Amino acid sequence: MQIYLDNAATSMIKPEIVPKSMYEFMINNGTTSGRGSYKRAIQSDRLIYETRKLVASLFNFDNPKNIIFTSNITESLNLAINGILNEGDHVITSSLEHNAVWRCLKTLERDRNINISKIKASKEGFSNPKDVENAIQENTKLIIFNHASNVLGTIQPIKEIGKIARKYKIPFLVDTAQTAGTYPIDIQNDNIDLLAFTGHKCLLGPMGTGGLVINWDGNINPLKSGGTGGDSAYEYQPDYYPNKLETGTLNVSGLVGLGEAIKFINKEGVKNIHNKEKELIKHTLRKLQDIDCIEIYGPKDSEKTVGVISFNIKNKTPEEVAYKLDAKYNIMVRAGLHCSPNAHELIGTKSIGTIRIGIGYFNEKEEIDILIDALREIAND
Ligand SMILES: Cc1ncc(COP(=O)(O)O)c(C=O)c1O
């Protein structure tokens, strides 16, 4: 038996219909979208539009054309950040960002002289919206927060932060890599202007899919220029969405798979998915706390976290533990810094990292129990 507990990296197990629909598209259609006028190409257009509508309705968004498909959330975040921030601008972000945000900001700090305010979170990873308000300057042009940390799992108060952003008319960009598909998100009610998502994690879709949902009417400069299938004689990117920011041949088979993944999520219900994961998180946290020499980082309350749990075992390196879990027990977890050095700085694990469990919808309590027994044995080794 193999146990997969690295869902924070990617949801390895997909609903069967996801690969099946991709295979069927490639065998029975296989054409590009937005370019041809023959029957198969029009079918391709229709499939892409259907996925756009599914993404929109998942986030309670009513304008599918303002959804820009990308290859992953890293591209979505780079697109928004590079497209909005100019020379000398100020940006506010959390102290728990993934490198998909942080490296992008550091690069612009070096190349465009931007100014970064990093809001210090509590040790468990909670950011205080008041600190965000206090950090606002006249030249603040963007506020960026992840919805949940990929190291601590901590769910951020995005609705409150978004409210502050709206008050000062500053666009609010949210990284939903660890929440979209497993935690209810309402772009209107949660005051989100720019929602970045990735298809291959909790959305249960394939790798190579992601996007940016634009609920804001300010300017975003394109990251890429190229073919859009229309306006071909015009020598610049067209000025309307999605074509302004979505250029080059789309990953049609991937987006077909993503559409089917969202239909699966709708059928199961995001609330039910969330509740099942919450039960698993509660069970895992309770059992982990029973092992003496384990230090858990992040919230111990399943209401305040997603299925990302970081911990360490006294006198053992994370790599050693992860290696033993895999080699002896066939349990897959991750060890290290998880592409988020700031989060490790906050919890004091920058030099060694952590062991990270990523719980997903297809995990079961029995698998957690096997993990706990294995950890107990490793701890006593
Ligand atoms: C919070 C967060 N942001 C961004 C990313 C980057 O995701 P992707 O590799 O799909 O672009 C991840 C993935 O690990 C993540 O957890």
Side-chain angles (χ1 to χ4, degrees), residues 48-212:
I48 290 295
Y49 194 62
E50 192 182 349
T51 301
R52 255 188 241 288
K53 282 201 297 190
L54 285 161
V55 171
S57 84
L58 184 72
F59 300 127
N60 189 30
F61 186 56
D62 59 8
N63 192 356
K65 288 193 171 157
N66 275 31
I67 292 170
I68 311 302
F69 286 129
T70 62
S71 51
N72 49 45
I73 197 170
T74 301
E75 189 186 342
S76 315
L77 292 162
N78 270 264
L79 169 61
I81 294 169
N82 279 283
I84 292 173
L85 293 176
N86 293 308
E87 186 75 22
D89 284 345
H90 173 244
V91 59
I92 299 171
T93 194
S94 82
S95 46
L96 294 154
E97 295 306 306
H98 188 278
N99 272 341
V101 167
W102 189 245
R103 281 187 174 160
C104 195
L105 291 179
K106 288 301 283 182
T107 304
L108 291 186
E109 183 185 54
R110 184 191 64 197
D111 298 346
R112 288 188 202 163
N113 200 25
I114 67 157
N115 235 293
I116 309 169
S117 288
K118 191 166 72 173
I119 303 301
K120 194 167 187 320
S122 69
K123 262 223 144 171
E124 286 197 329
F126 294 106
S127 309
N128 186 343
K130 274 225 151 36
D131 293 341
V132 176
E133 184 158 21
N134 291 337
I136 290 174
Q137 302 176 9
E138 222 153 79
N139 62 338
T140 306
K141 291 291 157 59
L142 190 58
I143 299 174
I144 313 167
F145 269 74
N146 62 46
H147 192 184
S149 160
N150 68 310
V151 175
L152 300 176
T154 319
I155 299 165
Q156 297 300 331
I158 53 160
K159 187 173 175 178
E160 290 73 20
I161 297 169
K163 197 167 163 197
I164 291 165
R166 289 265 157 95
K167 182 171 150 196
Y168 291 88
K169 297 192 169 50
I170 300 164
F172 181 40
L173 168 61
V174 179
D175 170 347
T176 68
Q178 297 296 340
T179 51
T182 189
Y183 193 88
I185 301 174
D186 181 323
I187 201 165
Q188 313 299 350
N189 198 39
D190 291 333
N191 302 314
I192 302 171
D193 294 308
L194 300 151
L195 185 156
F197 66 93
T198 207
H200 67 104
K201 295 184 193 269
C202 339
L203 280 174
L204 307 176
M207 295 176 193
T209 60
L212 182 68

Side-chain angles (χ1 to χ4, degrees), residues 40 59 207 211 242 247 303 349 379:
R40 274 196 187 207
F59 300 127
M207 295 176 193
T247 198
E303 295 291 333
T349 57

